[in-house]
Each structure stands twice: as C-alpha cells, then as structure tokens.
C-alpha cells in the first residue's frame, strides 16, 4: 500500500456517492494479510433485492467465484449480503478454498439474518495460501453492528490492493415514476505478490427491476465496458462483477432505456478508472475500430492493438509509431485488406489506402502523442463492424511493479 | 546498431558454418538506411536447387512476402537467388512496394543469370517508407562479382537490424550415400524504429531432396520451432523462412529421417538464438506443457504462459511466482482442471492437486530462478497432448528499446 505514487490519470477525488436505499455498508481492519488497513467490507441488502453478476471465464477460477456463480443461478428476493476481503485471493487453495467460503457465508448469514445461499463473497490478494478465514469471521459481528447507509466510500477502500486510488462512480436519473440512483465501486489492476491483477466491481441501485432483466443488462454491457478494457491481457482467477437492485425507489426499470443507459455509464466509468490505475499507466488510450466485416472482427482488431506490447511501449515513448498499428491489425486474425486500411491518431490522418497519408506530418502526430488521453482510430474499410477498446501504455513502472516487487 | 549491449544469453561466438556446395554468398554496404554497415546480402543457387518456404500469416504482410509466396507455388529446379536487405521493410508501401520488388528481381535475374520467377527477396527495417531500391539495384553487379562459397557469415551480418549478435547454426550427417551438410542463418527480434520485430531465416543444404518433401519438412517442423517461440506475442509483417537444397551432395534425402532430424535441429537452434536475442532478454525459458487433452490445447497453454507479461516480469525478477502460471493456464481457453494441475520449476515440484505441493520450499524455488536458463513444467493431468514453447523474460531493457528509441 502506498509504495507507488498515485496514477497521474487518477480523478481529482473520490466522487460523492449517494445513499442507495435498501443497502448498508461496513468495513473493518481484519488483518487478513497486513495490519492497519481496511481489508474486509460487508454490504447487506434488504429483502426484495435482486442480484446479478458476471465472472472471470478462467478455468482456474477461485473458490469464491465458483460459489457466487452457483448461488446466482437460483432466483431469490430474500435479503442478501456481499462480503469482500483483500490480502488473500483464496485461489488455488484446493478443497480448503470452499471450506473457507462456507465458513464465512455461515457467519454472515447468521449475523446479518439472511439465507446462506444469499451470501456472496469475493477475495483478492495472494494466491495459493490458505485464507485465514477465522480473522474474517471474528469480525462479522462488528461489521454487522457498523452497517451504515453512508458506508460505501470506506467499502471502496477496503477492497483495494495496490490500487493507487479508490474507484467510485454514480448516476442519478429522473424517470416518470421518480428518481433512481446507481452507485458503484471497483478495484483494479493492483497486485499483491504473488498474485495477478484482479478486478472486482460492485454496483448498487434502488431501481425496481427483475433479476432476469438486471442480469441481461449487466451481461450485455459487460462486453463493451469491462470486457473492452485491458492492461496487460492477463485475466485473473477472481474477476467479479456483482450488481444488486434493492427496488427501494419503487420505480420500475425493467424496460427503461434510461436506466439501462445510466447503468452502462456507471460500468464504463468504473472500467475506465481501472485502466487509468493500470500498473505504471501514464496514458489512457481509446482504440476505436470501425469498418470491420462484423463487430467480432472489430473487437479482435481493437484488442490486438490494445494488447500489443509494441504499440503500448510506443505510446509510453510518445512515438506515433503507426507501423506497429498496421502489424497489430495484421496479426489479429480478423479480415483486413492492407489497401483499405485507414489509421488516425486523434484527428491526425496517418495512413490510408495501404500507405502513409499524403499530408501526414510526423511532427503533428508526435505533438498529439504528448496528450494524456489518446484516441487511436482504425477503419478497415470493409463493413459496418465496430468496437472500442481502452488500454494504457506499457512503462518502466509496470516492470518495476511486477518484476521487482519482492526485491 | 550497437546501441545495446550484446545479450547475456548470446553464444560465445558465431559458429563455423561449412561450405554448402551449389550456393554462393555476397554482402555489401548499400546505404539502404544507414551508412557503413553491411545491409544487403545475395545468395545464388545453382540449377537443380529446390526452394521451400514459410511466411508470416499477417493480413498486412509486406510486398516481398507476397511475391515470395506466389513464386514458391511454382515448382522449378532452375537456378535461383535470394536477396535480402535490412534498413527498410518495404511493408505498407502501397503499389510502390511491388514495383520495388520487381525492380530488384529484374536486376538480380539479369546479373546472376537466373529466371525472374526464381528470385526471392526479403526486406526488414523501417515500415511505411518507400524502399530506395535504386541503392540496391546499383549494387547487384558488385554482389554477383563477389559471390563466394564461404560468404555466409557476412550474409548473416548483413541481415541484422538491432540484433545484438549474428545467428548461425549447422549440422552435418553421414548417410549411406555420403555426407550431407546444412547451414542456416537468421535475424531475430531486432528493431529499427518505427518497425516491429521481424524474423528472417535462410537455411541451405546440399541434400538431394524434392521440393515437395522439403516443403513438407519445413512446414511441419516450423510449428514446433519458429512457431513455438515468442518474445512479445507480436507478429511481423515480414517474417520469412526460406530453405534451399542444392542437391550437390548427390545424397537422396526425400525419405531420410536423419536428414529431417538434422534440419529440425538447425531450425530449433536458430529459433532458440532468436529468443536469446529477444529485446532485453536475460533469461531463456522453456515452457513444457504435458498431459493436455490434445496437442493443440497444450500449445494454447504453453503460449498463454510464454506470452503472459505477468509471468515474464516475474521471471525477470527471479520470483517463483507460480500463481501467475495458474492464471495463465486458466485464461488460455484450453481444457484444464485446477485440481489436476501440476507445476514444476525445473525439478522443483511447486503445485499439485489444486494447491501448493506439501514439500514446496520457496527458498529452493527462488534459488532455481536465478539460473539463466529455466524450465517451467506444467502437467494438466488430462491426456497425452504436449507442446514446448520458448520465451524470454520481460525487462526494463525491453521498455527502453521500444519506448525510448527515438528519445
């Protein structure tokens, strides 16, 4: 904690998140791995809440992820709870992993008076070490005592690992039936040796929405928000997004386009913050691909560019190295025709029709690359497929964080 | 050239490559981009030679690659020539690219007295700038004059970009019909801004072998040699492997397992040298995957580990961070069962049955990681699929070379 400076891309401050009626938060110092820091958060949802989620597709996903997936398959509107610890990911811990999850869920269910099947847990931190769940269960009583409608900011702190800033986002919309609020928190590409980057996201709303509608919205927009960002192409065993709707506003949002748009905006905002806190990041980069044969090809090209170490180091060096963009398009596996390709850095037309653009000025492009937020535009000239990915640059700091951590 | 120190993994010296009867070499300083360095090589093959090749699958591949592919589709045993320049890749140069290729091929065909359809060219270096082919064609007469059976070492130098050492490999085998020799040269993951890593490989043998048999051998073993290495997962627009057999030994090798094994050994040797000269490399790493459901899954897992920035930075930091191996297995998309996974660093058993191994000593593993050449063993415990990939670590030097090149 605090070993690395706050990302230069961090927002000025943590946003003022509104109270979401029907959910209360608490956070404590449980000493899961480190002393003197918030490392466990609890959120308790009133009866009538619905919960949706999406998770890492890793085949080595952690015990808490497997447990959440199983529980979310059952539709219920009983009260529910979400407990998250940092410091230990409870991943690759054999059968002991599930035992820890069960112990925590039992303790929370009893103390918070919710069914065990409605307690969801996440863990992030060191991998392959048994989770000392006694340290967590010992604090559950204290957590329930401390539950508070205004506790979400402390919860955002408790889930951080080596994140350099806490991440929050909110939207408020006025619909015919009244005001609906959404508030979300996330942790991003932090690192606790010997663990990998893990993304955890929790979004709460007082919208009245069915579980199926909420799950559909979350699954759909996950593809163009959290699944459209990449720091280093590595996927965690623990990535989790849980979205809970308490219904306390009484405003029916099952078919509300405005609500769906606001939910997506919160997801996108949090996803961007995760990239902006990417290890060593100094540039925030949108890779906008258009003109692909179809959307799937556009995504393939966008992620190929966004994950290319050669592209990402060039951006770190503020080098308008469009040759590396051409190479990343070529290796993507998507349908592409060299002679129909157009590349732009922001408004600067770089290449078209298989060659550098006639009016291209390297000086102008190099000037553009000095900005902290960049747009790389690639048009394949083939069809209507489009996809935007977000990434950051690859810097010496990334190597320092990941190679030198123990030294 | 010479900006970066010679790789610590470089062999002690360039090998003594034998004369291959039926092929002669020359190299000159043509000033394609830089003065005072060898930058064009020519190899001329006697009539009766057969030529095979494999090329980048990039959809934005360069004009020389497209030209070679087309010519190799035609079977011929006429004399042939291979001309390679460094300094400019002639990639993404629109229709001017093909014009340059044609101009060079015409000049070589006339001076070396071979059919135009049997002149193969490669270019490596800056992308998107018109190849100043006049500088090359002006030197073709001089090149042909200088052709020499013993010129292969100078040819190996002429194709280097920011390679820190020239790469050569050889094998000699005694068969019933006589001795057969193989000699190969390669350039690897060098970089000339604003270009991407390009791999070029040329292998010569005096074996008597049909074009179809040679092509089959090269295509087959390419999968487990050059297609099994990765420095950063980026694919060039120019990657080329050409293998030519002059037949001068008179020894029929169409069905010779010994010849095929020797050819594979040369390919593997050169592939390993390319990794050992990977930008910033300080460790050479074999990733051996066994027990996969099938070979394709084994390759998926091996390349997922070998391309993971988190794994590669951990290796740079000499950190036995097996959690990152687990994560890379999980994200590979291959069939995997966490509880059947076994991980070894060299002989050190790290994890088995879904958890850290009972006798695992972190100290012992950390000691192993200090070696310059490492083996990461992963057994999936599912079937008989196996694949070995080779990679290097990801260091500050990689970032320096690729981000700071222009500064």
């Amino acid at each position: 904690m605090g070993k690395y400076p706050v990302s230069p891309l961090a927002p000025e401050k943590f946003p003022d998140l509104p109270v979401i009626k029907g959910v209360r938060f608490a956070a404590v110092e449980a000493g899961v791995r480190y002393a003197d820091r918030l490392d466990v958060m609890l959120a308790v949802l009133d009866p009538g809440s619905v919960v949706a989620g999406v998770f890492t597709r890793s085949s080595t996903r952690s015990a808490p992820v497997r447990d959440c997936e199983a529980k979310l398959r059952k539709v219920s509107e009983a009260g529910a709870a979400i407990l998250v610890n940092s410091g230990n990911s409870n991943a690759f811990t054999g059968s002991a992993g599930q035992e820890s999850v069960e112990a925590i869920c039992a303790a929370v269910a009893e103390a918070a008076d919710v069914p065990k099947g409605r307690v969801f847990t996440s863990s992030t931190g060191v991998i392959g070490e048994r989770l000392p769940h006694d340290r967590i269960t010992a604090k559950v009583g204290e957590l329930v005592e401390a539950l508070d409608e205004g506790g979400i900011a402390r919860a955002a702190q408790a889930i951080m690992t080596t994140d350099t800033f806490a991440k929050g986002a909110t939207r408020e919309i006025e619909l015919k039936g009244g005001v609906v609020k959404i508030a979300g928190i996330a942790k991003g590409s932090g690192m606790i040796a010997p663990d990998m980057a893990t993304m955890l996201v929790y979004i709460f709303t007082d919208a009245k929405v069915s579980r199926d509608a909420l799950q559909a919205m979350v699954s759909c927009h996950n593809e163009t928000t959290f699944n459209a960002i990449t720091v280093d192409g590595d996927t965690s065993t623990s990535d989790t997004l849980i979205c809970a709707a308490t219904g306390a506003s009484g405003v029916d949002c099952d078919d509300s386009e405005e609500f769906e748009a606001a939910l997506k905006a919160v997801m996108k905002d949090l996803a961007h913050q995760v990239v902006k806190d990417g290890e060593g990041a100094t540039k925030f980069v949108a890779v906008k691909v258009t003109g692909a044969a179809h959307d799937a090809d556009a995504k393939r090209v966008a992620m190929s560019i966004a994950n290319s170490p050669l592209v990402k180091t060039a951006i770190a060096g503020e080098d308008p190295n469009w040759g590396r963009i051409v190479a990343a398009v070529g290796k993507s596996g998507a349908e592409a025709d060299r002679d129909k390709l157009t590349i732009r850095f922001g408004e600067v037309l770089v290449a078209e029709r298989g060659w550098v653009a006639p009016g291209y000025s390297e000086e102008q492009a190099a000037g553009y690359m000095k900005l902290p937020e960049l747009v790389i535009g690639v048009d394949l000239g083939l069809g209507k497929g489009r996809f935007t990915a977000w990434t950051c640059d690859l810097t010496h700091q990334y190597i320092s964080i990941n190679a030198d951590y123990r030294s």
Side-chain angles (χ1 to χ4, degrees), chain A:
Chain A
M1 294 295 295
K3 180 169 172 182
Y4 296 101
V6 173
S7 166
L9 302 168
E12 260 177 65
K13 62 181 202 61
F14 190 80
D16 285 324
L17 298 184
V19 165
I20 305 293
K21 285 283 176 202
V23 54
R24 292 163 299 147
F25 301 88
V28 291
E29 298 179 3
V32 173
R33 187 173 180 86
Y34 300 107
D36 302 323
R37 59 150 298 185
L38 295 174
D39 58 0
V40 178
M41 68 147 258
L42 177 68
V44 175
L45 294 149
D46 287 350
S49 297
V50 298
V51 183
V54 289
F55 301 90
T56 178
R57 295 174 192 144
S58 170
S59 61
T60 55
R61 56 201 182 281
S62 67
V65 166
R66 288 165 191 257
D67 186 69
C68 284
E69 286 175 323
K71 287 173 174 168
L72 278 176
R73 271 184 224 116
K74 291 174 196 143
V75 180
S76 162
E77 295 200 2
I82 302 167
L83 182 140
V84 185
N85 75 272
S86 55
N88 183 313
S89 73
N90 193 15
F92 214 65
T93 46
S95 57
Q98 183 57 24
E99 288 162 25
S100 291
V101 172
E102 280 166 19
I104 293 168
C105 290
V108 171
E110 194 184 335
D113 194 23
V114 298
K116 253 202 298 193
R118 293 278 283 171
V119 182
F120 305 95
T121 72
S122 308
S123 297
T124 177
V126 64
I127 196 172
E129 289 186 18
R130 191 172 181 144
L131 177 66
H133 61 255
D134 291 351
R135 297 182 196 167
I136 297 170
T137 52
K139 293 285 184 176
V140 165
E142 190 181 319
L143 279 162
V144 171
E145 282 295 311
L147 284 169
D148 176 31
E149 281 189 331
I152 193 169
R154 273 166 61 88
Q157 281 171 37
I159 64 175
M160 287 168 70
T161 54
T162 55
D163 299 64
T164 74
F165 61 91
K167 296 162 189 71
T170 181
R171 290 293 185 281
E172 200 175 296
I173 44 170
E174 220 177 314
L175 299 175
K176 244 190 340 210
V179 171
V180 172
K181 294 171 182 169
I182 308 172
I185 58 175
K187 77 161 290 286
S189 311
M191 178 81 38
I192 299 183
D195 192 17
M196 74 294 301
T198 285
M199 193 180 68
L200 301 178
V201 184
Y202 306 93
I203 299 173
F204 305 91
T205 175
D206 55 10
K208 194 164 159 35
V209 56
S210 73
R211 183 262 198 190
D212 287 352
L214 188 65
Q215 182 65 49
M217 290 179 199
V218 168
S219 295
C220 169
H221 298 303
N222 184 49
E223 288 307 309
T224 55
T225 58
F226 295 106
N227 273 352
I229 62 172
T230 175
V231 170
D232 55 14
D234 271 319
T235 304
S236 159
T237 53
S238 305
D239 290 334
T240 294
L241 159 60
I242 290 178
C243 183
T246 65
S249 69
V251 183
D252 193 332
C253 290
D254 262 26
D255 300 311
S256 166
E257 284 174 23
E258 292 94 332
F259 172 71
E260 186 169 346
L263 178 61
K264 181 179 179 179
V266 168
M267 291 168 72
K268 194 162 157 183
D269 190 338
L270 290 172
H272 287 191
Q273 289 187 51
V274 169
V275 173
K276 288 177 177 177
D277 206 9
E279 289 164 338
T282 69
K283 305 273 188 189
F284 177 71
V285 186
V287 181
K288 294 195 176 179
V289 176
T290 52
H294 41 73
D295 287 354
D297 260 12
K299 179 167 187 176
R300 220 171 272 147
V301 170
M303 293 308 265
S304 176
I305 295 169
N307 276 321
S308 162
L310 289 175
V311 170
K312 290 154 74 78
T313 48
I315 293 167
E318 302 187 335
D319 177 359
N321 196 325
W322 57 273
R324 295 184 183 174
I325 309 283
V326 174
V329 172
K331 75 162 180 171
S332 68
E335 188 185 336
D337 179 339
R338 187 193 62 186
D339 297 339
K340 289 182 177 163
L341 201 55
T342 303
I343 298 172
R344 284 187 175 79
F345 290 143
E347 297 297 311
V348 183
L349 177 63
V350 178
E352 59 178 351
R353 287 193 285 274
W355 208 356
V356 65
Y360 174 66
S361 151
E362 172 109 355
E363 205 181 348
Q364 192 190 2
Y368 177 74
M369 299 303 284
K370 293 192 189 304
L371 300 175
E373 304 208 358
L374 301 170
V375 178
I376 296 176
V378 173
D379 190 280
L380 298 173
L382 297 173
K384 295 192 168 176
R386 54 171 59 230
F387 192 85
T388 299
W390 293 277
T391 190
C392 57
D393 51 345
L394 175 56
T395 65
H396 282 289
Q397 182 83 340
Y398 178 88
I399 306 288
S400 294
I401 295 172
N402 288 300
D404 310 343
Y405 191 88
R406 294 189 181 203
S407 57

